[in-house]
Amino acid sequence: MREIGIGLIGTGFMGRAHALAFHHAVSTFELSVKPRLVALADADAARAERCAADWGFAKACDWESLVNDPAVELVAITTPNRLHYPMTMAALAAGKAVYCEKPLAVTLDEASAMRDAAKRAGVVNRVGYNYLQNPMLKLARELIESGELGEITGYHGEFSEDFMGDPQAPFSWRCETEQAGGALADLGSHILSLSRFLLGDVAALCADLHTAHAERPHQGGRRRVEIDDQAHVLLRFANGAHGTLATSWLRHGRKNHLAFEVYGTRGTLAYDQERLNELRLYGTGGRPGLDGFRTLLSGPHLPDYAAFCPAAGHQLGYNELKTLEVRSLLEALAGNGALTGVDFQEAWEVERLAQAVRDSAREERWVRI
Amino acid sequence: MREIGIGLIGTGFMGRAHALAFHHAVSTFELSVKPRLVALADADAARAERCAADWGFAKACDWESLVNDPAVELVAITTPNRLHYPMTMAALAAGKAVYCEKPLAVTLDEASAMRDAAKRAGVVNRVGYNYLQNPMLKLARELIESGELGEITGYHGEFSEDFMGDPQAPFSWRCETEQAGGALADLGSHILSLSRFLLGDVAALCADLHTAHAERPHQGGRRRVEIDDQAHVLLRFANGAHGTLATSWLRHGRKNHLAFEVYGTRGTLAYDQERLNELRLYGTGGRPGLDGFRTLLSGPHLPDYAAFCPAAGHQLGYNELKTLEVRSLLEALAGNGALTGVDFQEAWEVERLAQAVRDSAREERWVRI
Amino acid sequence: MREIGIGLIGTGFMGRAHALAFHHAVSTFELSVKPRLVALADADAARAERCAADWGFAKACDWESLVNDPAVELVAITTPNRLHYPMTMAALAAGKAVYCEKPLAVTLDEASAMRDAAKRAGVVNRVGYNYLQNPMLKLARELIESGELGEITGYHGEFSEDFMGDPQAPFSWRCETEQAGGALADLGSHILSLSRFLLGDVAALCADLHTAHAERPHQGGRRRVEIDDQAHVLLRFANGAHGTLATSWLRHGRKNHLAFEVYGTRGTLAYDQERLNELRLYGTGGRPGLDGFRTLLSGPHLPDYAAFCPAAGHQLGYNELKTLEVRSLLEALAGNGALTGVDFQEAWEVERLAQAVRDSAREERWVRI
Amino acid sequence: MREIGIGLIGTGFMGRAHALAFHHAVSTFELSVKPRLVALADADAARAERCAADWGFAKACDWESLVNDPAVELVAITTPNRLHYPMTMAALAAGKAVYCEKPLAVTLDEASAMRDAAKRAGVVNRVGYNYLQNPMLKLARELIESGELGEITGYHGEFSEDFMGDPQAPFSWRCETEQAGGALADLGSHILSLSRFLLGDVAALCADLHTAHAERPHQGGRRRVEIDDQAHVLLRFANGAHGTLATSWLRHGRKNHLAFEVYGTRGTLAYDQERLNELRLYGTGGRPGLDGFRTLLSGPHLPDYAAFCPAAGHQLGYNELKTLEVRSLLEALAGNGALTGVDFQEAWEVERLAQAVRDSAREERWVRI
Ligand SMILES: NC(=O)C1=CN([C@@H]2O[C@H](COP(=O)(O)OP(=O)(O)OC[C@H]3O[C@@H](n4cnc5c(N)ncnc54)[C@H](O)[C@@H]3O)[C@@H](O)[C@H]2O)C=CC1
Ligand SMILES: NC(=O)C1=CN([C@@H]2O[C@H](COP(=O)(O)OP(=O)(O)OC[C@H]3O[C@@H](n4cnc5c(N)ncnc54)[C@H](O)[C@@H]3O)[C@@H](O)[C@H]2O)C=CC1
Ligand SMILES: NC(=O)C1=CN([C@@H]2O[C@H](COP(=O)(O)OP(=O)(O)OC[C@H]3O[C@@H](n4cnc5c(N)ncnc54)[C@H](O)[C@@H]3O)[C@@H](O)[C@H]2O)C=CC1
Ligand SMILES: NC(=O)C1=CN([C@@H]2O[C@H](COP(=O)(O)OP(=O)(O)OC[C@H]3O[C@@H](n4cnc5c(N)ncnc54)[C@H](O)[C@@H]3O)[C@@H](O)[C@H]2O)C=CC1
């Protein structure tokens, strides 16, 4: 079978998640191409060496060599946000396919440049919006598209966690302005992408960005924080629905609260990533008095669940969403583009919304998209 | 014991709720004054007669006579919104105490006039924000005020129902512009009052009003709808918290979804009126790994629960919140003002916010309060 | 309208609940007869006086006088279990209708004598199984009877609370053997009656009674406990279903956990009294992949809910179940027997099951009913 | 690194789960030994070939050759229950370590022989009770053992699914008597093992087995069913706790409802496998009125979670429990026995309980263990 040489940059949370996903895609699916783990790069060279050995990469190197290594056909980028742009551009310049973590870039200009470069290079390009791979969310989208909920009228979308909820939580790269840091970039990008996945284009928005904690501990002292701890947004979708969106990393008790409610003229859908195998559906038109929110459980009637387990209610985990994303990426590399996945164009749309949120908040006004 | 003559106007949903609450306050509490049910008025005179007999009122009459009846000391107003103003002004002019249903008025001007007249008259004045009487919400406020959640940073408030969710749900007085109709007036007033109850003054807001269904069936034909089906609002509180607020009567599956989430630097509180005997609390600072949202159940440790039942978890119902409101009203009439309750001044604050929402939505801009 | 003279014995938890319910039945329903609160008795005469004044009874007296008072037509008995028998027998001997709290009696012999005496007296007789008045449970029974769940195959019933969960919780009359004390009598009687309400006759059972705490604090010292803290039962119903039943007052966190799951060949029903306005229904035969437990909310489509409130999801409380029970009792006194309610015959069936549980546990064997 | 030759028998649900788990253990953990996938066997030789290729096994063969293949050091058995005995005995006779799916055997005699043979062979032996690998259940056990709940008094354990709930669900090997078929063997073994995991030895039990559907469709006709569709059990634990246990494959809506409630003198724990990343804990002794069931979420404070993901609330899936089981097995093979896992001795204890259930049900009596 044809093999694809993989170069992975970054060995943090997502670096490992990518590595696992490449392995698991192979063990789980009958793929059209097989990934070969060629090279692993990290700022910390010793760590790169150790991880390369542990994770089955043939070698470790610096990222520039990786990007230019002829054996590398796909570059997976899992470094902090600010590095997505230079690494992607270098990879595209070298003619490599790119699988970049979200958010695509720090500024909309960079995002545009990346999208254009990818288009010009004509290579497969994907962004790590893994949550959209959840078969329950694909079901959600199908229900919306099939008209099960009627015409969509209302929406609430949210992505909240609490890892910065303690005012003494330390400054990290996620707090740097030059990383387009902040909850909006870090978490908001996911809920923006999910909102688009479910309801399509946003026509206009009005936003409020809020920095609750203006300083954070940093290297023994304190450092000023300029990015947002939370964002609140009014949304009007092109399909006519109105709603709200919130994202925050201050919300105690929320560990992975990527959640939405979609309201239509005939029914309602609700979801919370903290129970990623469930979907709550309310439909009108049944026997009077016997309506109510129904808790659907994931199961093998959903092909992307069946790929992992033939029994309902046994549950997929977070890593398996990444495996699904990598599968879809590998199939795209094999020329089989039928599977879902977020490409640079779509990730750019997310950045466009994020930029609109920033503009709107700064100027305190509605922004048409 | 001293008796207070009660005149009640309106025999609909709230008319009956008031009548029941006067009875139940007597049977449930050791009151300082006893209500005497003097007169009942309704536009439909026959119905007023029938209800007066059923509900134990001494007589039925038209509302003007009721307001001027010397035996009536308190006028309870449960008519459609547009009538709150004339009926209240007449009652105040006759020197009567007033217990008016929410929202206080249709326009902020009327609300101001009502508040001023009540102040001048020097009479007890209350507005039917009965949800705030829930002992679980008083507990919520205490937890917030005592610093249990730390400094408050984030908020989401909502009141959604679905009784207008079907585009074919008929036009009613709640859809008339001259009633300040719409979800904002009908449901939004409750969540605005609850938001203030929990977090205090709003400093600024930006809102979006949405009419999803521009026509509704009416008297065999169809009638144009100009009021809002839903409202979405960005909020900044004087205490520094930021958040969102939503209200809608289109949201299928939501029957009485008056709900909030309050986020602080040390914990979180969440509530949904559809489970009015529960409160969800998340606190930091416990044993690592043993934190989690805790579902509190109402019980006799809360005095306003104990008044009804000595055993925990047995649950109060909606009508008992109204009974608590009437108790507080009667105690105020007896000169015992210690109990909570929303007076015209506070209800006017709610109208001020509602007006700000309308202004903001019309002009698409932030409004400072 | 015809009036019925009421004599109430006991002023504890249930005494007050009865008093409230008589008042609220009058204010809530159009009754065929009207209760007149004639006399209130309690072992503590001073308390009886005070409560009589507070609760609107014409006088206070001792229970023997009450029972023989010609103005008393119905005797409501809310005293500890051991007194149900002598008080009921005296009331029946005096030709009075009887409304006795559960459990009917301390021994099956007493229960049989009470049932027979009531039958001979030809008077209305009712027992306080108020939970069965919940409109959601009537809906549950209708769903079962209509075949919505198919043939019933499995069952779990439970009534657990935690008020004796602390080993230092003091000895009370509920711990006395001569009261048929214990969790089985106190809580178990409710779940036995509910099990019969839902599924009909039990054909055979096998039980285990357990005294976890053999002593409890009592009057400064400690007192031996001989009754059960919890009971566990295997059940076979006449309809063919098999299942389990548990009752305990040791279960921390359970405040009013009267709960069941009913499984049939076509669906499932689940309920927990701690959310008394909800019922969870699972039905097969819908669109594949769109099945799931549905949370039904109570609402005005259920007449016994509509009697209190015209809007769905607003919720009834515990006291309103008692009001429904008293309404049904008063209607029975007016000769209108159509409404549901547990009479002595049915309450005797519950005692028969409780006795079978005790026999089975003592002899460690299955008991056929 | 040392490698261990793996032979896997069976390519059904569990065959694939094992294969995946061997791969994922390698990618996820730093193992002390590395599995080498030597041979795959299945009754269907063509399928064995195909799966061997897909799953990375060096060859396919029949199970007898596999067991005697010198390159095979560990035999993993995922065939129907009746084959566990002969295959295990052959593997042990050939000196191989054995990883057998649950339940260990069809009869207690076979189970005893297997346990004894394993002991004599002195090889690593494990049984597929993967649910016990859930870090949340390890936390549950720690909480119980540390006394967090006080002295344990009450218990309910259950494993219910619904795949045989339809009376027309076809006969399968799981219905055959010679497989020790039935819900008890199939699902009950899991909840018996989990009960022991949490609370230790059962002292006595009394059980009821129930065949609801005496016939099932089979090969165009119908076939008689003699095994149980559900089992209900009274339990007394050696630690003094009493409780119930239920298992059924008829319970509509239950997809993987392995659940328990553990009650102690100081608190309560509750769990449902359908939300495998959650645990509900109720503790006494906190601030009055602020107690309540707390929903704990899994996270990286649990090392077996951290192995997969560094962020809380992201969730493990079912397959990752199997990966944890295989990791523990491989470590045991490397001589590192510290990790948890169910060996033949413990699995025999489960069979002893299952046998006691069958004896008790047949003879309708309590059985001491
Ligand atoms: N899709 C998803 O669900 C998630 C996506 N992410 C995204 O993944 C990216 C990385 O986030 P994490 O893995 O959480 O961060 P991390 O801080 O755990 O890892 C970042 C890695 O990049 C490496 N790195 C930094 N500078 C480098 C350089 N110049 N050359 C080579 N390596 C360098 C670091 O050494 C580290 O190994 C971010 O863009 C983030 O937004 C993060 C978490 C979840
Ligand atoms: N606090 C709460 O939770 C609730 C408050 N409300 C408020 O209560 C008020 C009434 O609402 P509903 O009872 O639901 O309406 P409804 O339509 O059920 O009842 C209105 C009543 O007013 C009577 N009425 C109308 N014009 C009248 C006149 N000129 N003279 C005398 N009577 C007249 C009608 O005949 C009817 O009996 C509204 O302001 C509403 O916002 C309503 C429901 C819940
Ligand atoms: N249906 C339900 O949901 C409930 C039913 N019950 C039942 O109600 C009955 C009473 O229970 P509680 O009210 O909780 O007990 P309690 O202890 O609160 O009240 C018992 C009352 O009986 C009075 N009493 C005792 N001896 C008396 C005598 N010789 N003459 C007159 N009065 C006497 C006591 O002074 C006290 O007022 C019990 O049979 C219990 O099983 C209790 C709670 C809930
Ligand atoms: N630990 C857990 O959570 C689970 C454990 N199991 C257990 O796993 C075992 C297998 O169950 P499933 O995989 O669900 O069954 P299955 O029916 O899906 O697979 C059984 C496999 O065994 C093969 N087989 C049958 N006879 C054979 C023979 N003579 N030689 C070689 N292969 C043969 C079949 O061809 C098939 O591939 C059972 O003992 C079951 O109790 C099953 C499901 C879950």
Side-chain angles (χ1 to χ4, degrees), chain D residues 11-14 42-43 79 81 84 101-102 128 130 173-174 318:
Chain D
T11 63
F13 179 1
M14 273 305 106
D42 197 89
T79 49
N81 301 348
H84 296 181
E101 263 312 318
K102 46 59 52 181
N130 30 259
W173 67 257
R174 283 177 161 86
Y318 172 83

Side-chain angles (χ1 to χ4, degrees), chain C residues 6-9 36-41 52 57-61 66 69 72:
Chain C
I6 309 291
L8 171 63
I9 315 181
R36 192 159 20 88
L37 304 184
V38 170
L40 181 64
F57 282 81
K59 69 170 174 225
C61 60
L66 181 149
D69 187 331
V72 167

Side-chain angles (χ1 to χ4, degrees), chain B residues 55-183:
Chain B
W55 303 350
F57 282 80
K59 69 170 174 226
C61 60
D62 61 82
W63 76 264
E64 288 91 346
S65 327
L66 181 149
V67 154
N68 291 302
D69 187 330
V72 168
E73 291 161 88
L74 171 87
V75 178
I77 299 170
T78 69
T79 48
N81 300 348
R82 143 187 80 79
L83 297 170
H84 295 181
Y85 174 75
M87 289 174 172
T88 293
M89 294 308 272
L92 290 174
K96 308 299 159 86
V98 178
Y99 175 28
C100 181
E101 264 310 320
K102 48 56 57 180
L104 184 56
V106 170
T107 65
L108 185 56
D109 282 351
E110 284 178 1
S112 303
M114 290 162 82
R115 179 199 54 181
D116 295 345
K119 202 171 294 174
R120 272 196 311 272
V123 294
V124 166
N125 49 88
R126 289 291 170 97
V127 180
Y129 283 110
N130 30 258
Y131 293 118
L132 305 188
Q133 295 293 332
N134 186 344
M136 291 306 262
L137 293 188
K138 292 178 194 167
L139 173 61
R141 183 154 84 163
E142 272 166 46
L143 289 169
I144 293 168
E145 282 179 353
S146 71
E148 185 79 17
L149 307 184
E151 190 188 332
I152 305 307
T153 54
Y155 181 73
H156 180 65
E158 176 161 354
F159 194 5
S160 297
E161 299 198 352
D162 67 0
F163 61 97
M164 301 300 281
D166 184 343
Q168 301 313 319
F171 195 97
S172 79
W173 67 257
R174 284 178 161 85
C175 303
E176 293 173 15
T177 309
E178 49 280 26
Q179 303 275 5

Side-chain angles (χ1 to χ4, degrees), chain B residues 148 287 290 293-295, chain D residues 148 287 290-291 293-295:
Chain B
E148 185 79 17
R287 264 177 61 192
L290 295 192
F293 272 98
R294 218 176 311 156
T295 303
Chain D
E148 183 81 17
R287 263 177 60 192
L290 296 193
D291 49 359
F293 272 98
R294 219 177 311 156
T295 303

Side-chain angles (χ1 to χ4, degrees), chain B residues 290, chain D residues 143 148-149 268-270 279-283 292-294 296:
Chain B
L290 295 192
Chain D
L143 289 169
E148 183 81 17
L149 308 184
T268 297
L269 263 186
L279 195 58
R280 298 199 333 125
L281 171 65
Y282 181 95
F293 272 98
R294 219 177 311 156
L296 315 185

Side-chain angles (χ1 to χ4, degrees), chain C residues 310-323:
Chain C
H314 280 53
Q315 294 156 76
L316 301 188
Y318 171 82
N319 285 331
E320 288 164 322
L321 307 182
K322 208 74 194 173
T323 303

